[in-house]
Amino acid sequence: MKYYIFLVVVVFAFAKATPQGPPITSDKPIMLGGKSFTAKTLTEIRNTERGTSVYVPVMLHYLPTSNSLVALHLPYISYDLSDNQGNALADIKLLGKYQFYRKDGTGKTFRMVAKTLQSLPTGKELDLMELSTGKYAGYYGVVAGLETLKYGISSEIGYNHMPDGTLDELRTKLGFGLPLLKPQYPNKQINLYFEYTSSWLHERNWYQLLYAQGIQYARKNITFDLALQLPLVQDIPVTRALNYSVFLGTRYTF
């Protein structure tokens, strides 16, 4: 119970946010103005046949310019697995993004971003993909997105390389955003997200196709995210199969 109390405290600690956030389980190339900071969190409660883990990252993003971003992710994790229990610091992550293409039209914009995510081996060797592996990994990818007043589409393709492990991964994502209210000022919006994640770990011959249904509430400068992720296809050992993941997030920009 203490883990869930901690989770709630962290989520509401970042209750103030910008009007519309990015997709919940995927990414998008839209960036805010330069010289701005964003403090955010996206907690994941992951339940698998191996057990349950609660991952709570505190993330600080900085935009030196309107087309570049650097970030530091400091994550806490608690876990109740069949072979291990406890709580600790997870793998610290360093994020970098650079927008190299942009084309604007009336009521729409298309952008592309180069992205890298460096995972440092600060966590325990729990073999929890993207959470706590205790091994260095470098992710390199490209994010593309089209955003209009009526909908948003985002896609991503990238490769995660782990030199001293077996979690090398080809990752692709596709997301659709649908605003339910007309644009208005001050901002008030409810957005639905439909997001797919494909993950192929070729060294282990594992494959997963996941679907996340999310909802986002934005009012003035406050944004809250909630999503449920379920497996559509799982070609992995039964003992490691995902049952579901729940995501809770919010962010604050200054």
Side-chain angles (χ1 to χ4, degrees), residues 20-206:
Q20 293 190 22
I24 300 171
T25 64
S26 56
D27 203 352
K28 74 174 184 179
I30 308 299
M31 298 185 186
L32 302 175
K35 308 300 181 183
S36 64
F37 287 90
T38 298
K40 57 186 297 185
T41 183
L42 182 62
T43 294
E44 178 183 358
I45 304 170
R46 182 184 297 183
N47 180 266
T48 70
E49 290 298 317
R50 187 184 171 204
T52 301
S53 57
V54 180
Y55 178 79
V56 185
V58 175
M59 301 176 274
L60 181 63
H61 291 202
Y62 173 62
L63 282 79
T65 65
S66 60
N67 63 349
S68 63
L69 179 148
V70 292
L72 172 66
H73 297 181
L74 298 174
Y76 167 91
I77 187 169
S78 65
Y79 49 94
D80 185 4
L81 308 175
S82 59
D83 54 352
N84 210 333
Q85 296 180 345
N87 54 86
L89 177 71
D91 298 331
I92 293 175
K93 301 180 187 294
L94 304 175
L95 173 66
K97 294 168 67 175
Y98 176 74
Q99 180 184 284
F100 61 88
Y101 181 80
R102 174 175 178 173
K103 184 176 182 179
D104 296 329
T106 304
K108 62 182 179 180
T109 182
F110 176 78
R111 307 184 192 187
M112 298 182 71
V113 163
K115 172 182 176 180
T116 182
L117 184 67
Q118 303 294 310
S119 299
L120 307 181
T122 55
K124 291 191 174 183
E125 293 189 25
L126 300 176
D127 202 41
L128 291 173
M129 186 170 60
E130 298 185 64
L131 304 187
S132 185
T133 65
K135 298 181 183 296
Y136 165 77
Y139 174 81
Y140 309 91
V142 175
V143 182
L146 172 66
E147 188 163 305
T148 74
L149 297 178
K150 295 183 178 180
Y151 62 86
I153 304 174
S154 63
S155 62
E156 180 175 345
I157 184 169
Y159 189 80
N160 189 60
H161 177 52
M162 182 178 287
D164 298 322
T166 58
L167 289 175
D168 278 32
E169 174 195 6
L170 177 63
R171 185 184 308 162
T172 57
K173 296 189 176 186
L174 178 64
F176 302 91
L178 178 65
L180 300 183
L181 304 178
K182 293 181 179 180
Q184 54 188 289
Y185 184 83
N187 180 69
K188 181 180 180 182
Q189 189 55 264
I190 299 175
N191 304 306
L192 295 180
Y193 287 104
F194 312 85
E195 300 171 342
Y196 298 85
T197 299
S198 173
S199 176
W200 178 40
L201 284 73
H202 59 88
E203 291 180 296
R204 298 188 179 187
N205 199 27
W206 290 7

